[in-house]
Amino acid sequence: PSGDECIYPGDKLLAVGTKDQIASFKEIMKEHEDIIEEGGADVEFSVDWVTLNDKSYLTGKLLRETSMRHSGCMVISVLRGEKIITNPKPDFRFEVGDSVCLAGEKSSLSWFV
């Protein structure tokens, strides 16, 4: 969620990160153990990597042009050569050869992958 998004009781969150980042997140959340429930999402969720070619839907587009969030998935990061771009900005333009980490509902991701 964005920094402006409210999180309500009953909402389910997915934390994605390195092992160290997830461990840090769990430490922060320990003080709220009484409200935390792991797993059990109703919708099948997945994280997948796709490498873009010249015919890929994302190739040449700005992130803001893709409407990814409205389709039930989001871009977590992009590997471009040796550079990792985490949480790309809306003006990020996808290129052939980019390896894109996508997260979202399996039914939505299958279209982009």
Side-chain angles (χ1 to χ4, degrees):
S2 70
D4 298 326
E5 191 74 29
C6 290
I7 299 171
Y8 297 99
D11 286 352
K12 295 184 187 233
L13 304 177
L14 171 71
V16 178
T18 65
K19 287 180 182 180
D20 290 341
Q21 291 168 332
I22 296 299
S24 177
F25 176 75
K26 285 182 175 182
E27 281 298 313
I28 292 168
M29 297 307 292
K30 273 188 178 178
E31 64 189 71
H32 303 287
E33 281 186 23
D34 58 321
I35 61 170
I36 296 174
E37 175 185 325
E38 291 190 37
D42 296 335
V43 177
E44 287 194 50
F45 195 88
S46 182
V47 176
D48 290 313
W49 284 89
V50 60
T51 301
L52 304 182
N53 62 40
D54 60 340
K55 295 181 180 12
S56 299
Y57 170 77
L58 297 174
T59 302
K61 292 187 174 153
L62 296 174
L63 180 56
R64 77 166 61 89
E65 296 171 335
T66 65
S67 301
M68 297 281 294
R69 287 194 175 205
H70 299 297
S71 65
C73 54
M74 62 184 280
V75 175
I76 295 175
S77 62
V78 178
L79 178 61
R80 180 174 284 167
E82 299 294 317
K83 184 177 180 184
I84 295 177
I85 302 150
T86 303
N87 293 327
K89 304 285 185 230
D91 61 345
F92 177 84
R93 187 174 302 278
F94 295 96
E95 298 178 358
V96 170
D98 285 348
S99 291
V100 183
C101 183
L102 300 169
E105 299 173 16
K106 282 187 179 184
S107 59
S108 297
L109 278 182
S110 63
W111 192 84
F112 290 102
V113 175

